[in-house]
Amino acid sequence: MRALRRFTVRAQLPEQLAPLGELVLNLRWSWHPETLDLFESVDPELWRATKGDPVRLLGEVDHDRLTALAADRRFVRRLTAVADDLQDYLAADLWYQRANLAGAPSAIAYFSPEFGITEVLPQYSGGLGILAGDHLKTASDLGVPLIGVGLLYRAGYFVQSLSRDGWQQERYPGIDPHGLPLTQLTDSGGRPVKVAVGLPEGRTLHAQIWKAQVGRVPLLLLDSDVEDNQPGERGVTDRLYGGGTDHRLLQEMLLGIGGVRALRAYAGVTGNPAPEVYHTNEGHAGFLGLERIRELVETGLSFDEALEAARAGTLFTTHTPVPAGIDRFPRDLVARHFGGDNSWPGVPVERILELGVEPDPNVFNMAHMGLRLAQRSNGVSKLHGIVSREMFAGLWPGFDAAEVPIGSVTNGVHAPTWVSRSVLELTDREPGPSLLSDDAAGFAKISTLPDDVVWSIRRQLRERLVAEVRRRVRASWLERGAAPGELDWVESVFDPDVLTIGFARRVPSYKRLTLMLRDRERLRRLLLHSERPIQMVIAGKAHPADDGGKLLVQQIVQFADDPSVRARIVFLPDYDIGMARFLYSGSDVWLNNPLRPLEACGTSGMKAALNGCLNLSIRDGWWDEMFDGQNGWAIPTADGVEDPDRRDDLESIALYELLENTVAPRFYDRPAGGPPPRWTAMVKHTLSTLGPQVLASRMVQEYVQRYYVPAAVSARTTAADGLAGARDLSAWKNRVRASWPGVRVLNVDSAGLGDTPQAGQSLVVRATVELGGLAPEDVDVLASYGRVDQSDRILDPATLSLAAVGDSEGALRYEGTIPLGRTGAFGYTVRVLPRHRLTASVAELGLVANP
């Protein structure tokens, strides 16, 4: 019979082993080798059986074993040393404390719908969640005072398996929070702390709060599976990205609104400072801005004033390069949940709906709301920043896409999580700084390592991957219904001396999982080449509702099932963090072939590169800016070819050509049977030069310096003197918007040049401007100038602020001098833009007056 409910009973630890319980509840163990080694030594066989889950380990370990360990002075000394090391880590002054950043925030809230920290806490589906987990871990390592906010999904994402014919199947095993490395947030009386979010028709959505401690960073996870809720509300946090539109809206209301309320409750219970900066990781958490507006309206601000105060301290990060990837809800559904009997006093539903306006009047766009509620925003690679500025340019009419105020911080990955121990130990044997030092200086010494040492480590990692592939292939076939006696062939799957290519990611169509199958016979020849064979390990999950993605998975699986190639190509189901570590470290080449420019960043190749794996990728996302010709290979793209089949054909041919004529020959070019010199040179170059660039420490430091600190300064400035700054900025914006139709550039002329302008001369530019009742300090009159193309578009313009020099019949005259610093076609223009000390960009209001 089935149990009605399940729960986990944890072991009662002897007093000498009490620090074990503390170590388990701080997820630093997930990236700290010494702690993992300590857990394994508790019971090595059980550690393997529990798949490295320390909570399960302590829940299942035999009491006699614990008693023996408590009497083992050597184990207790190790335990004490590891526990002391954790306390030192938690108390140390790290980069953030040592940097003495003027205006640094005392606390930063980081909202995300998913967090990938460890496979033991299955609260992630793909890259967005893994990035969020790496962001929290790195903030902890740098001492950045981050607080994570998310949801606790009682069934996680899903466990993937395959049917006999290769069709993806999903399973949602229940998760018991008491069996996870979590603690429940309780008040001083030991009662669970809960938050509530109002719903239409007098309903209320309640949630309890669980806390995962990620090193120094607390992660608050809201859980709606509480008795206070009706059955419908109780299931809101059932699955990550599960349910229909109504369900998703409730999840996002709980994440944003309930998340802010959870932060308030956490500060009240712990005494920790409330966040000064709010980082919205994608549009899913956008409702957090509405809750902060509601709070401020309750203090006496108007909606517009509260909007400015909330925006000042908010950063929005977009992760999608395509409109289809944005959460969009029916406008009527949002109106029903924020209006009528569930409306907030002083927060009119009409104003809320304006925040999500897009060209389709029936749709509420969460990304548009996120951008409108944040004074600062960014994409996640340089190319993605360009794509985002173009995609969202309509929110800033009158501005060129290059001027849209969306910056970029290229993602990075958490090296202690993703760099294999073999690579770390290899570099630690050499004199000089550690590979994981704050300044990443340790990567430089890799270039001096002997080729045979590097090659030996790479083979060792490939051998580990081969063993893991065989284990998982066997398990998958057994689950698909094969009998053990049918699986003798599994022992010949893969070869530790064959060129190994990894490909693993989510399976939306733009990532083109099956591009490699465009010419199956050619792929078959590459796999089975008599002198230069390749082997391919593939993994990835399609969304449960995406039958097109499932079909792609099935096509790969059915090809890999063919007895003639199954020793050289495999699909491994249930891709997760645990599997990923083997793939990233053991592959020789990491393949990525998305449709450019639809890959926002794509960090899997970064993790592979940190282990000496070479990237073979379309120049999209991070690879577009970091490929240097020696750290891997760029697959040529057929940009401009509109027929998608034709484009896929051309790019697949380019992929085959590279594999056959460049990649494989270089791998197998081994003079006198030794290591391949050109290959090992590329591996060393990748590790020593690309390694420091892809680190999440670089990413988080950029966020701190370019976004968190400026946002904190803006938030404090608008909040000073009883929120006088917010009131002033709101009044100014309303006055500027009302007056802007009267702002005009009446005349522009220039002087100072003869008939043949020459480099080194100067051009005096004059403009006559009518301000429509605004004061001169309300505007900036800018001259933009530089080289022009055939259509007179100014390329990479420089700007000069013109000075007011007098009146002219009710208008103002402005003047400035432009240097002619280069030869060739040159042009300039003059524009009027709003200006205020509390705006973060000249384009913030989306207003501009052109001649």
Side-chain angles (χ1 to χ4, degrees), residues 690-726:
L690 188 56
Q693 297 181 68
V694 302
L695 296 182
S697 53
R698 182 269 310 153
M699 172 189 74
V700 172
Q701 287 170 351
E702 283 191 42
Y703 271 115
V704 168
Q705 294 163 338
R706 293 172 50 195
Y707 289 105
Y708 294 164
V709 170
V713 171
S714 292
R716 291 183 196 131
T717 305
T718 57
D721 300 323
L723 293 157

Side-chain angles (χ1 to χ4, degrees), residues 253 257 287 290 334-340 342-344 347 349 352:
M253 289 177 66
I257 299 167
F287 290 128
L290 297 185
V334 175
R336 187 163 69 251
H337 280 76
F338 287 93
N342 197 43
S343 61
W344 293 336
V347 186
V349 66
I352 293 174

Side-chain angles (χ1 to χ4, degrees), residues 392-412:
F392 295 113
L395 275 65
W396 289 271
F399 289 88
D400 291 342
E403 298 175 298
V404 168
I406 300 176
S408 67
V409 174
T410 302
N411 286 342

Side-chain angles (χ1 to χ4, degrees), residues 472-491:
R472 289 181 179 264
V473 167
R474 178 179 295 278
S476 176
W477 273 91
L478 289 172
E479 196 167 23
R480 294 172 69 184
E486 297 178 77
L487 300 178
D488 291 345
W489 60 271
V490 171
E491 291 309 310

Side-chain angles (χ1 to χ4, degrees), residues 117-401:
I117 297 164
T118 164
E119 60 270 37
V120 170
L121 189 62
Q123 303 293 306
Y124 60 94
S125 71
L128 180 71
I130 301 299
L131 171 75
D134 280 9
H135 198 109
L136 264 57
K137 294 174 185 176
T138 306
S140 174
D141 289 344
L142 295 175
V144 180
L146 215 66
I147 305 173
V149 181
L151 301 179
L152 180 71
Y153 305 98
R154 287 300 186 103
Y157 191 42
F158 66 87
V159 174
Q160 179 195 44
S161 60
L162 301 172
S163 69
R164 189 67 189 237
D165 66 353
W167 190 257
Q168 173 179 295
Q169 298 178 319
E170 299 93 29
R171 186 163 53 84
Y172 292 88
I175 293 172
D176 171 23
H178 296 282
L180 298 175
L182 303 172
T183 56
Q184 194 167 19
L185 188 66
T186 57
D187 62 19
S188 57
R191 296 176 293 272
V193 174
K194 296 177 183 177
V195 298
V197 176
L199 300 178
E201 302 163 0
R203 295 176 295 134
T204 303
L205 173 58
H206 300 272
Q208 59 191 343
I209 305 167
W210 298 89
K211 179 173 73 74
Q213 192 64 39
V214 187
R216 297 163 70 117
V217 172
L219 168 59
L220 308 181
L221 299 170
L222 280 70
D223 171 19
S224 70
D225 189 11
V226 294
E227 294 179 356
D228 312 66
N229 282 328
Q230 295 298 314
E233 285 73 48
R234 193 161 185 163
V236 165
T237 56
D238 56 353
R239 299 176 181 178
L240 175 60
Y241 303 141
T245 301
D246 293 37
H247 192 78
R248 288 285 294 275
L249 179 62
L250 293 181
Q251 285 189 335
E252 297 188 12
M253 289 177 66
L254 181 60
L255 174 59
I257 299 167
V260 173
R261 295 176 184 179
L263 286 169
R264 305 296 179 248
Y266 178 75
V269 168
T270 63
N272 289 344
E276 296 181 90
V277 173
Y278 294 77
H279 187 169
T280 310
N281 194 35
E282 241 331 322
H284 313 282
F287 290 128
L288 75 89
L290 297 185
E291 171 63 8
R292 295 182 59 222
I293 289 172
R294 183 199 63 79
E295 291 179 327
L296 291 160
V297 166
E298 284 191 349
T299 70
L301 294 188
S302 70
F303 180 91
D304 287 335
E305 292 165 346
L307 172 62
E308 297 307 330
R311 288 184 76 250
T314 302
L315 167 65
F316 175 74
T317 297
T318 174
H319 291 262
T320 179
V322 289
I326 296 171
D327 270 350
R328 301 158 82 231
F329 294 106
R331 178 184 170 92
D332 291 347
L333 182 66
V334 175
R336 187 163 69 251
H337 280 76
F338 287 93
D341 65 346
N342 197 43
S343 61
W344 293 336
V347 186
V349 66
E350 294 78 13
R351 299 301 306 275
I352 293 174
L353 294 174
E354 288 173 3
L355 294 168
V357 164
E358 66 150 78
D360 185 341
N362 299 313
V363 168
F364 185 92
N365 188 306
M366 293 295 289
H368 286 198
M369 180 180 69
L371 290 164
R372 290 179 174 120
L373 285 174
Q375 195 174 46
R376 292 165 176 84
S377 55
N378 71 285
V380 291
S381 69
K382 290 180 180 178
L383 179 59
H384 181 233
I386 294 170
V387 172
S388 298
R389 288 189 285 276
E390 294 172 348
M391 185 166 72
F392 295 113
L395 275 65
W396 289 271
F399 289 88
D400 291 342

Side-chain angles (χ1 to χ4, degrees), residues 275-590:
E276 296 181 90
V277 173
Y278 294 77
H279 187 169
T280 310
N281 194 35
E282 241 331 322
H284 313 282
F287 290 128
L288 75 89
L290 297 185
E291 171 63 8
R292 295 182 59 222
I293 289 172
R294 183 199 63 79
E295 291 179 327
L296 291 160
V297 166
E298 284 191 349
T299 70
L301 294 188
S302 70
F303 180 91
D304 287 335
E305 292 165 346
L307 172 62
E308 297 307 330
R311 288 184 76 250
T314 302
L315 167 65
F316 175 74
T317 297
T318 174
H319 291 262
T320 179
V322 289
I326 296 171
D327 270 350
R328 301 158 82 231
F329 294 106
R331 178 184 170 92
D332 291 347
L333 182 66
V334 175
R336 187 163 69 251
H337 280 76
F338 287 93
D341 65 346
N342 197 43
S343 61
W344 293 336
V347 186
V349 66
E350 294 78 13
R351 299 301 306 275
I352 293 174
L353 294 174
E354 288 173 3
L355 294 168
V357 164
E358 66 150 78
D360 185 341
N362 299 313
V363 168
F364 185 92
N365 188 306
M366 293 295 289
H368 286 198
M369 180 180 69
L371 290 164
R372 290 179 174 120
L373 285 174
Q375 195 174 46
R376 292 165 176 84
S377 55
N378 71 285
V380 291
S381 69
K382 290 180 180 178
L383 179 59
H384 181 233
I386 294 170
V387 172
S388 298
R389 288 189 285 276
E390 294 172 348
M391 185 166 72
F392 295 113
L395 275 65
W396 289 271
F399 289 88
D400 291 342
E403 298 175 298
V404 168
I406 300 176
S408 67
V409 174
T410 302
N411 286 342
V413 298
H414 184 244
T417 295
W418 301 111
V419 178
S420 69
R421 283 208 202 181
S422 297
V423 174
L424 290 175
E425 291 166 358
L426 169 68
T427 55
D428 285 346
R429 289 199 298 264
E430 302 296 316
S434 164
L435 203 66
L436 303 181
S437 60
D438 279 355
D439 58 3
F443 283 93
K445 61 187 179 183
I446 293 174
S447 61
T448 64
L449 294 174
D451 286 2
D452 59 339
V453 171
V454 173
W455 185 243
S456 174
I457 291 296
R458 289 298 313 150
R459 190 190 186 283
Q460 178 189 116
L461 293 171
R462 196 183 313 115
E463 195 168 29
R464 282 182 51 218
L465 174 60
V466 169
E468 183 69 4
V469 163
R470 290 174 181 172
R471 184 186 72 79
R472 289 181 179 264
V473 167
R474 178 179 295 278
S476 176
W477 273 91
L478 289 172
E479 196 167 23
R480 294 172 69 184
E486 297 178 77
L487 300 178
D488 291 345
W489 60 271
V490 171
E491 291 309 310
S492 63
V493 168
F494 276 30
D495 182 328
D497 291 310
V498 167
L499 171 61
T500 304
I501 298 172
F503 184 102
R505 51 195 31 88
R506 289 184 304 109
V507 191
S509 59
Y510 78 86
K511 291 182 183 283
R512 298 193 292 185
L513 174 70
T514 57
L515 187 71
M516 64 187 75
L517 298 183
R518 295 296 289 187
D519 185 339
R520 298 185 179 211
E521 287 309 309
R522 187 163 188 185
L523 176 60
R524 192 185 305 272
R525 291 198 301 271
L526 288 168
L527 294 169
L528 303 176
H529 195 285
S530 59
E531 297 177 0
R532 298 189 298 273
I534 67 172
Q535 54 197 17
M536 303 185 78
V537 53
I538 303 162
K541 292 181 176 181
H543 188 281
D546 181 11
D547 282 349
K550 292 181 183 180
L551 182 60
L552 298 179
V553 169
Q554 185 181 47
Q555 290 170 2
I556 284 285
V557 172
Q558 290 181 344
F559 180 84
D561 283 351
D562 184 337
S564 68
V565 296
R566 65 188 181 188
R568 288 286 180 262
I569 182 168
V570 299
F571 180 90
L572 303 182
D574 208 30
Y575 179 47
D576 67 357
I577 292 174
M579 182 196 296
R581 290 195 184 94
F582 286 96
L583 300 186
Y584 298 146
S585 62
S587 297
D588 298 296
V589 172
W590 196 256

